[in-house]
Amino acid sequence: MGDVPMLGDKRMLILSLEDTVNEETTVFIISIVCLAVTQPKQPSHEVWYNFTNDTGWQSDGLVFLLGLINPIYGFGGLDGAVHLGEDCFEPAKAVPRAIVNSLVVGFITTFFFAISMLYCVRDLGAAIRSPTG
């Protein structure tokens, strides 16, 4: 994979776009298949309104913010867009555009996937109590 940058600008762009389409399609297919085969699904009230704090901490707000640590880890790659600014044309436009596009695509994909999985989880307590929970 280290030789990929030697392909040139056009082929690198095509490879990158193909990879992005492949990743987004995979997330979409996994979400749809899980929603299609999971019966029964969680009721909407459980997904959208019920917040369960079984951590032992008193503050629901703090527990919610601590729960965001794992999803935020996925955005650690935003630093890469800043480093690419050294190698692109018009970095004052390209870098902010890359960061915003990455955040928008990442949020839409993650939100759709997370909501799909919340509808598909049958027994959250059993999942948490499992050895891998």
Side-chain angles (χ1 to χ4, degrees):
M1 195 65 179
D3 297 333
V4 171
M6 294 184 345
L7 296 175
D9 291 341
K10 297 259 188 217
R11 288 190 287 182
M12 187 67 178
L13 176 64
I14 292 169
L15 183 65
S16 179
L17 289 174
E18 286 175 352
D19 185 47
T20 301
V21 169
N22 184 30
E23 289 174 9
E24 299 300 317
T25 303
T26 302
V27 169
F28 182 74
I29 289 171
I30 290 170
S31 299
I32 296 299
V33 168
C34 287
L35 286 170
V37 300
T38 302
Q39 293 298 332
K41 292 179 185 52
Q42 289 288 342
S44 292
H45 189 270
E46 284 291 318
V47 172
W48 295 103
Y49 296 109
N50 194 14
F51 181 78
T52 305
N53 178 1
D54 289 334
T55 63
W57 293 41
Q58 299 301 316
S59 172
D60 286 345
L62 180 63
V63 170
F64 176 78
L65 291 174
L66 287 173
L68 293 177
I69 290 174
N70 281 342
I72 289 174
Y73 178 76
F75 293 113
L78 294 177
D79 183 54
V82 175
H83 293 293
L84 288 175
E86 301 168 358
D87 302 324
C88 67
F89 299 108
E90 299 183 30
K93 290 182 182 178
V95 171
R97 187 179 303 150
I99 292 172
V100 169
N101 288 342
S102 176
L103 286 172
V104 168
V105 170
F107 175 79
I108 292 170
T109 304
T110 304
F111 185 76
F112 177 72
F113 185 74
I115 297 301
S116 300
M117 295 304 109
L118 286 173
Y119 274 104
C120 294
V121 171
R122 293 181 185 164
D123 186 2
L124 186 59
I128 292 172
R129 288 187 300 275
S130 75
T132 59

